[in-house]
Amino acid sequence: MATPTAPAGNARGAPRSLTGLVPFLKPYRARIAWSLLCLVLAALATLAFPLALRDLIDTGLVAGDRASQAMELRGHFGALFLVAVGLGVFSAARFYAVSWLGERVTADLRQAVYSHVLRQSPQFFESTQTGEVLSRLTADTTLVQTVVGSSLSMGLRNAVMGIGALGMLVWTNPYVMSVVLLAVLLVVLPAMWIGRRVRKLSRDSQDRVADSSAIAAEVLNAIPVVQSYTAEQRESARFAGAAESAFSTAVQRTRARAVLVAFIIIANAALLLWGLYRGTQAVLAGEMTAGHLGQTVVYVMLLAGAVAVLGEVYGDLLRAAGATERLMELLATQSPVAEPASPLPLPHTGRGLAVDFASVQFRYPSRPDQPALADFSLTLAPGETVALVGASGAGKTTVFQLLQRFYDADAPRSGAAPSGIFLNGVNIRDLALTTLRSHIATVPQDAVIFGASALENIRYGKPDATPEEVKAAAQAAFADDFIMALPQGYDTFLGERGVRLSGGQKQRIAIARAILKNPPLLLLDEATSALDAESERMVQAALDTAMQRHTGQRTTLVIAHRLATVQNADRIVVLEHGRIVEQGTHASLLAAQGVYAQLAKLQFTA
C-alpha cells in the first residue's frame, strides 16, 4: 500500500483531513458499496413508513363496515410490519459491514504507521517522543475507528433520510417547506461556526493527551532510577500537571460541543413545533387530511432528527479529522536515510568483508555546529580485528552508527576528494538497507532483551534457526548453563527488558544472538564496560569465541574503554574529537608514548 501524505492546504483538523484515509479505504470498495446499498435501502424503508401511516389514518380509520374496516386495518398494519422488517434487516447488514470496515481500516492504519515508524532513522526519535507515537497508535486510531465504523455511516444514513424527508415535504407541502428550508439554514450556519471552535479544541486536546502519554512512557521505562532518587512524588506531580492540562482542554472542547448540541436540539424542536402548528391549522381549515398531517409530522421529525444526528456526527468528524491529521503527519515523515533507487549487490570475495572509511565527515542533525567525525579514514582488511579507543565523545559510537546507516555521512565539499563508507568496494549508500544490515551483527553496551523466552531472544538473530542451532550459539556464548538453570530452560520468559537476568547474562544472550546470525562483520560496543570481574571474564570469553569463529572470514570492529580487553586486537585505533590520532598494535602504541600510552598508564596503574 502506498504511503499516504497529508492533504495539502488543509486547515488543521478540518474535515478535509479525513481524505488521508482514502488509500486505506480503496482496497475495500466492494464492501463499501455493499454497506452504502444497505444504508440507502434502510433509509428508504424509514421514508416509506410515513406513507404507510398516512394510508392507515386516511383509509383504515374512516367510518364504515366494521368487518371490512378490520380487514383494511390488518392490511395496513401488515404493510407497516413489512417496512419494519426491511428496516431491521438492512440496518443490521449495514451495521455489520460498516463495523467490519472500521475495524479493518483501523488495523491497517495502525500497521502502516507502526511499520513506517520502525523504518525511521534515529534522527526521527531525537525530536519525537515514544509516548507520543504510542498515543497516535492508540488514541488517535480509536477515534478514526469510531468515525469509519460508526459515525460516518450514521452521518450518511441520516443525510439520505434528511434529504429524502425534505424532498417528500417539498413535494407534498411546497409552501411550508420553503420556510422550513430557510429555518434549516438558520440552524446549519451557526452550527458550522461553533464547529470551527470544536475542531481547534479537538486537535489541542489530542496533543495534550499525547504529552501525558509521553511522560508516562519515559518514566515507566526508568522506574529504578526514579525510585532510587525518590522522585515518585515529583513524577506524579509532573504527570498530574500534564493530565490536568489535557483535562482542561477536553473540558473546553466538551463545553463547545455541548453548546453546539443544545443549539441544534432547541432549533430543531422549534422547527418541529412550527411545522406541527402549521399542519394543525391546515387540518382545521380543511386544507389537509389528518393522514396528510401525520405524514408531514413524521417527515418533519425525521428531518429534525437527521439534522440533530448530523450535528453530533460533525463533532465526531472534527475530532477524527484532528486524529487523522496527526497520523498522516507520521506517515508523511520521510527518513533522511533513503533506500537507493537501484541497489547494487554486495560482492562476495570468499574472504569476508573489507571495510573502508574514506575521508568521512559527519555532524549530528541535533548538533550541526559540532563535528562528530572529521576527515575520518580507516581501512579494515577481511578477517581483521580492529579496536576503537578514546575518551567519551571521541566519535567511536558514531562510526558504528554510520557503518549501519542509522545516519548518512555528510556530502563531500565541492572539489573535495570522493568520500564515503565502502564494503568490498561498494558504497553503502548503494546497498539496500536489508542487504547492508544483514551482513552485520552488533553486541551493544546495553544488551537489549525482549519480553519473550530465552529461545526467542537468541533466535532474533536468525528467525528460522532450529532449537539445536540456538543451543549451539548459547553454548558458544557461555550462556547455555545459566539458561538451563532457569525454571523452564530455553522456554523461560525473561521479563520486560530482561529483568530476570543479571547484566552478564543479558550480554551473553546478546552475544549468542550475534553468533547465531553468524555475520561477516561483527560490531562490539563496549560489551563488558558495566560488568563485574566474574561476568566480564565470562562475557570476554564469549566475545573471543564470537570473534574467532570462522577465522579469517569475520571482520570485527570493537569499541572499548577497558584497554585490557583489546590488547590482542590486530590493530588499535585511537580517536580524539572525531579524528584518528594514532593506530597500531598495543605494543607499538605503548612504545610511541602518545595518547594511547597515557590512557594505558592511567588504567593499568589504577
PDB file of all heavy atoms in Angstrom, residues 25 104 106-107 116 124-125 166-167 174 222 313 333 376 378 380 400 414 505 522 559:
ATOM      1  N   LEU A  25      -9.084   2.996   2.469  1.00  0.00           N
ATOM      2  CA  LEU A  25     -10.444   2.555   2.154  1.00  0.00           C
ATOM      3  C   LEU A  25     -10.531   1.905   0.772  1.00  0.00           C
ATOM      4  O   LEU A  25     -11.397   1.062   0.543  1.00  0.00           O
ATOM      5  CB  LEU A  25     -11.402   3.745   2.216  1.00  0.00           C
ATOM      6  CG  LEU A  25     -11.634   4.349   3.603  1.00  0.00           C
ATOM      7  CD1 LEU A  25     -12.372   5.678   3.488  1.00  0.00           C
ATOM      8  CD2 LEU A  25     -12.428   3.394   4.485  1.00  0.00           C
ATOM      9  N   ARG A 104     -11.216  -3.056  10.233  1.00  0.00           N
ATOM     10  CA  ARG A 104     -10.187  -3.400   9.251  1.00  0.00           C
ATOM     11  C   ARG A 104      -9.307  -2.196   8.899  1.00  0.00           C
ATOM     12  O   ARG A 104      -8.070  -2.297   8.867  1.00  0.00           O
ATOM     13  CB  ARG A 104     -10.872  -3.926   7.983  1.00  0.00           C
ATOM     14  CG  ARG A 104      -9.956  -4.372   6.852  1.00  0.00           C
ATOM     15  CD  ARG A 104      -9.191  -5.622   7.201  1.00  0.00           C
ATOM     16  NE  ARG A 104      -7.896  -5.324   7.789  1.00  0.00           N
ATOM     17  CZ  ARG A 104      -7.138  -6.217   8.371  1.00  0.00           C
ATOM     18  NH1 ARG A 104      -7.550  -7.457   8.490  1.00  0.00           N
ATOM     19  NH2 ARG A 104      -5.977  -5.872   8.878  1.00  0.00           N
ATOM     20  N   THR A 106      -8.821   0.486  10.692  1.00  0.00           N
ATOM     21  CA  THR A 106      -8.028   0.859  11.863  1.00  0.00           C
ATOM     22  C   THR A 106      -6.812  -0.040  12.017  1.00  0.00           C
ATOM     23  O   THR A 106      -5.701   0.434  12.296  1.00  0.00           O
ATOM     24  CB  THR A 106      -8.893   0.782  13.128  1.00  0.00           C
ATOM     25  OG1 THR A 106     -10.025   1.640  12.973  1.00  0.00           O
ATOM     26  CG2 THR A 106      -8.109   1.233  14.356  1.00  0.00           C
ATOM     27  N   ALA A 107      -7.013  -1.351  11.823  1.00  0.00           N
ATOM     28  CA  ALA A 107      -5.880  -2.281  11.909  1.00  0.00           C
ATOM     29  C   ALA A 107      -4.847  -1.979  10.828  1.00  0.00           C
ATOM     30  O   ALA A 107      -3.631  -1.965  11.098  1.00  0.00           O
ATOM     31  CB  ALA A 107      -6.378  -3.724  11.786  1.00  0.00           C
ATOM     32  N   HIS A 116       5.963   2.193   9.363  1.00  0.00           N
ATOM     33  CA  HIS A 116       6.650   3.388   8.878  1.00  0.00           C
ATOM     34  C   HIS A 116       7.590   3.942   9.945  1.00  0.00           C
ATOM     35  O   HIS A 116       8.724   4.337   9.648  1.00  0.00           O
ATOM     36  CB  HIS A 116       5.612   4.438   8.487  1.00  0.00           C
ATOM     37  CG  HIS A 116       6.193   5.635   7.811  1.00  0.00           C
ATOM     38  ND1 HIS A 116       6.708   5.605   6.525  1.00  0.00           N
ATOM     39  CD2 HIS A 116       6.360   6.913   8.237  1.00  0.00           C
ATOM     40  CE1 HIS A 116       7.159   6.797   6.198  1.00  0.00           C
ATOM     41  NE2 HIS A 116       6.961   7.612   7.221  1.00  0.00           N
ATOM     42  N   PHE A 124      14.811  10.787  13.727  1.00  0.00           N
ATOM     43  CA  PHE A 124      13.376  10.960  13.989  1.00  0.00           C
ATOM     44  C   PHE A 124      13.096  10.916  15.487  1.00  0.00           C
ATOM     45  O   PHE A 124      12.317  11.714  16.012  1.00  0.00           O
ATOM     46  CB  PHE A 124      12.601   9.854  13.262  1.00  0.00           C
ATOM     47  CG  PHE A 124      11.141   9.778  13.619  1.00  0.00           C
ATOM     48  CD1 PHE A 124      10.223  10.608  13.006  1.00  0.00           C
ATOM     49  CD2 PHE A 124      10.688   8.869  14.564  1.00  0.00           C
ATOM     50  CE1 PHE A 124       8.873  10.540  13.319  1.00  0.00           C
ATOM     51  CE2 PHE A 124       9.343   8.796  14.895  1.00  0.00           C
ATOM     52  CZ  PHE A 124       8.435   9.631  14.266  1.00  0.00           C
ATOM     53  N   PHE A 125      13.748   9.988  16.190  1.00  0.00           N
ATOM     54  CA  PHE A 125      13.484   9.813  17.617  1.00  0.00           C
ATOM     55  C   PHE A 125      14.212  10.836  18.479  1.00  0.00           C
ATOM     56  O   PHE A 125      13.997  10.890  19.689  1.00  0.00           O
ATOM     57  CB  PHE A 125      13.859   8.392  18.046  1.00  0.00           C
ATOM     58  CG  PHE A 125      13.015   7.354  17.359  1.00  0.00           C
ATOM     59  CD1 PHE A 125      13.479   6.695  16.235  1.00  0.00           C
ATOM     60  CD2 PHE A 125      11.749   7.056  17.820  1.00  0.00           C
ATOM     61  CE1 PHE A 125      12.703   5.756  15.583  1.00  0.00           C
ATOM     62  CE2 PHE A 125      10.958   6.116  17.192  1.00  0.00           C
ATOM     63  CZ  PHE A 125      11.436   5.465  16.066  1.00  0.00           C
ATOM     64  N   LEU A 166     -36.872  15.761   3.326  1.00  0.00           N
ATOM     65  CA  LEU A 166     -37.004  17.116   2.793  1.00  0.00           C
ATOM     66  C   LEU A 166     -37.674  17.098   1.426  1.00  0.00           C
ATOM     67  O   LEU A 166     -38.561  17.904   1.130  1.00  0.00           O
ATOM     68  CB  LEU A 166     -35.617  17.756   2.710  1.00  0.00           C
ATOM     69  CG  LEU A 166     -35.573  19.241   2.346  1.00  0.00           C
ATOM     70  CD1 LEU A 166     -36.295  20.068   3.389  1.00  0.00           C
ATOM     71  CD2 LEU A 166     -34.116  19.697   2.221  1.00  0.00           C
ATOM     72  N   GLY A 167     -37.245  16.124   0.594  1.00  0.00           N
ATOM     73  CA  GLY A 167     -37.851  16.003  -0.738  1.00  0.00           C
ATOM     74  C   GLY A 167     -39.341  15.699  -0.667  1.00  0.00           C
ATOM     75  O   GLY A 167     -40.152  16.292  -1.406  1.00  0.00           O
ATOM     76  N   PRO A 174     -45.156  22.361  -0.614  1.00  0.00           N
ATOM     77  CA  PRO A 174     -44.110  23.249  -1.153  1.00  0.00           C
ATOM     78  C   PRO A 174     -44.010  24.585  -0.426  1.00  0.00           C
ATOM     79  O   PRO A 174     -42.907  25.060  -0.165  1.00  0.00           O
ATOM     80  CB  PRO A 174     -44.533  23.441  -2.625  1.00  0.00           C
ATOM     81  CG  PRO A 174     -45.968  23.036  -2.676  1.00  0.00           C
ATOM     82  CD  PRO A 174     -46.161  22.007  -1.615  1.00  0.00           C
ATOM     83  N   ALA A 222      12.034   4.039  33.163  1.00  0.00           N
ATOM     84  CA  ALA A 222      13.168   4.373  34.037  1.00  0.00           C
ATOM     85  C   ALA A 222      12.772   4.268  35.506  1.00  0.00           C
ATOM     86  O   ALA A 222      13.255   5.028  36.343  1.00  0.00           O
ATOM     87  CB  ALA A 222      13.665   5.786  33.721  1.00  0.00           C
ATOM     88  N   VAL A 313     -22.561  13.983  14.523  1.00  0.00           N
ATOM     89  CA  VAL A 313     -21.565  13.342  13.659  1.00  0.00           C
ATOM     90  C   VAL A 313     -20.503  14.347  13.237  1.00  0.00           C
ATOM     91  O   VAL A 313     -19.316  14.021  13.154  1.00  0.00           O
ATOM     92  CB  VAL A 313     -22.251  12.723  12.427  1.00  0.00           C
ATOM     93  CG1 VAL A 313     -21.232  12.296  11.382  1.00  0.00           C
ATOM     94  CG2 VAL A 313     -23.095  11.519  12.849  1.00  0.00           C
ATOM     95  N   THR A 333       6.255  11.540   7.224  1.00  0.00           N
ATOM     96  CA  THR A 333       7.651  11.752   7.633  1.00  0.00           C
ATOM     97  C   THR A 333       8.570  10.868   6.798  1.00  0.00           C
ATOM     98  O   THR A 333       8.378   9.658   6.700  1.00  0.00           O
ATOM     99  CB  THR A 333       7.829  11.408   9.116  1.00  0.00           C
ATOM    100  OG1 THR A 333       6.934  12.198   9.893  1.00  0.00           O
ATOM    101  CG2 THR A 333       9.257  11.679   9.567  1.00  0.00           C
ATOM    102  N   PHE A 376      37.670  11.362   8.600  1.00  0.00           N
ATOM    103  CA  PHE A 376      37.918  10.046   9.197  1.00  0.00           C
ATOM    104  C   PHE A 376      38.190   9.032   8.082  1.00  0.00           C
ATOM    105  O   PHE A 376      37.323   8.762   7.249  1.00  0.00           O
ATOM    106  CB  PHE A 376      36.705   9.618  10.021  1.00  0.00           C
ATOM    107  CG  PHE A 376      36.875   8.302  10.719  1.00  0.00           C
ATOM    108  CD1 PHE A 376      37.503   8.216  11.956  1.00  0.00           C
ATOM    109  CD2 PHE A 376      36.407   7.127  10.137  1.00  0.00           C
ATOM    110  CE1 PHE A 376      37.652   7.006  12.597  1.00  0.00           C
ATOM    111  CE2 PHE A 376      36.552   5.914  10.773  1.00  0.00           C
ATOM    112  CZ  PHE A 376      37.180   5.845  12.010  1.00  0.00           C
ATOM    113  N   LEU A 378      39.730   5.072   7.488  1.00  0.00           N
ATOM    114  CA  LEU A 378      40.153   3.842   8.143  1.00  0.00           C
ATOM    115  C   LEU A 378      39.805   2.669   7.244  1.00  0.00           C
ATOM    116  O   LEU A 378      38.711   2.605   6.698  1.00  0.00           O
ATOM    117  CB  LEU A 378      39.451   3.685   9.499  1.00  0.00           C
ATOM    118  CG  LEU A 378      39.739   2.403  10.285  1.00  0.00           C
ATOM    119  CD1 LEU A 378      41.196   2.374  10.745  1.00  0.00           C
ATOM    120  CD2 LEU A 378      38.797   2.275  11.480  1.00  0.00           C
ATOM    121  N   LEU A 380      39.687  -1.593   7.059  1.00  0.00           N
ATOM    122  CA  LEU A 380      39.743  -2.876   7.759  1.00  0.00           C
ATOM    123  C   LEU A 380      39.850  -3.977   6.717  1.00  0.00           C
ATOM    124  O   LEU A 380      38.999  -4.080   5.816  1.00  0.00           O
ATOM    125  CB  LEU A 380      38.491  -3.110   8.606  1.00  0.00           C
ATOM    126  CG  LEU A 380      38.371  -2.374   9.941  1.00  0.00           C
ATOM    127  CD1 LEU A 380      38.083  -0.890   9.726  1.00  0.00           C
ATOM    128  CD2 LEU A 380      37.255  -2.994  10.773  1.00  0.00           C
ATOM    129  N   PHE A 400      30.091   3.333  14.393  1.00  0.00           N
ATOM    130  CA  PHE A 400      29.154   2.203  14.303  1.00  0.00           C
ATOM    131  C   PHE A 400      27.834   2.627  13.660  1.00  0.00           C
ATOM    132  O   PHE A 400      27.278   1.914  12.825  1.00  0.00           O
ATOM    133  CB  PHE A 400      28.884   1.647  15.709  1.00  0.00           C
ATOM    134  CG  PHE A 400      29.928   0.688  16.208  1.00  0.00           C
ATOM    135  CD1 PHE A 400      31.221   0.736  15.724  1.00  0.00           C
ATOM    136  CD2 PHE A 400      29.621  -0.260  17.163  1.00  0.00           C
ATOM    137  CE1 PHE A 400      32.195  -0.144  16.183  1.00  0.00           C
ATOM    138  CE2 PHE A 400      30.575  -1.150  17.632  1.00  0.00           C
ATOM    139  CZ  PHE A 400      31.865  -1.089  17.137  1.00  0.00           C
ATOM    140  N   SER A 414      32.508  20.750  -2.152  1.00  0.00           N
ATOM    141  CA  SER A 414      32.781  20.930  -3.580  1.00  0.00           C
ATOM    142  C   SER A 414      34.285  20.925  -3.835  1.00  0.00           C
ATOM    143  O   SER A 414      35.043  21.644  -3.181  1.00  0.00           O
ATOM    144  CB  SER A 414      32.166  22.255  -4.047  1.00  0.00           C
ATOM    145  OG  SER A 414      32.460  22.477  -5.403  1.00  0.00           O
ATOM    146  N   GLN A 505      24.511 -11.981  32.183  1.00  0.00           N
ATOM    147  CA  GLN A 505      23.651 -12.930  31.477  1.00  0.00           C
ATOM    148  C   GLN A 505      22.990 -12.272  30.262  1.00  0.00           C
ATOM    149  O   GLN A 505      22.876 -12.883  29.200  1.00  0.00           O
ATOM    150  CB  GLN A 505      22.597 -13.480  32.440  1.00  0.00           C
ATOM    151  CG  GLN A 505      23.183 -14.413  33.506  1.00  0.00           C
ATOM    152  CD  GLN A 505      22.171 -14.770  34.570  1.00  0.00           C
ATOM    153  OE1 GLN A 505      21.200 -14.048  34.809  1.00  0.00           O
ATOM    154  NE2 GLN A 505      22.383 -15.901  35.249  1.00  0.00           N
ATOM    155  N   LEU A 522      31.280  -8.043  12.517  1.00  0.00           N
ATOM    156  CA  LEU A 522      30.797  -8.027  13.892  1.00  0.00           C
ATOM    157  C   LEU A 522      31.205  -6.713  14.549  1.00  0.00           C
ATOM    158  O   LEU A 522      32.362  -6.309  14.486  1.00  0.00           O
ATOM    159  CB  LEU A 522      31.392  -9.204  14.670  1.00  0.00           C
ATOM    160  CG  LEU A 522      31.005  -9.347  16.148  1.00  0.00           C
ATOM    161  CD1 LEU A 522      29.514  -9.582  16.295  1.00  0.00           C
ATOM    162  CD2 LEU A 522      31.801 -10.485  16.790  1.00  0.00           C
ATOM    163  N   ILE A 559      34.615  -1.400  20.091  1.00  0.00           N
ATOM    164  CA  ILE A 559      34.751  -0.183  20.900  1.00  0.00           C
ATOM    165  C   ILE A 559      35.072  -0.626  22.317  1.00  0.00           C
ATOM    166  O   ILE A 559      34.397  -1.496  22.870  1.00  0.00           O
ATOM    167  CB  ILE A 559      33.456   0.649  20.901  1.00  0.00           C
ATOM    168  CG1 ILE A 559      33.209   1.257  19.515  1.00  0.00           C
ATOM    169  CG2 ILE A 559      33.515   1.758  21.948  1.00  0.00           C
ATOM    170  CD1 ILE A 559      31.908   2.013  19.406  1.00  0.00           C
TER     171      ILE A 559
END
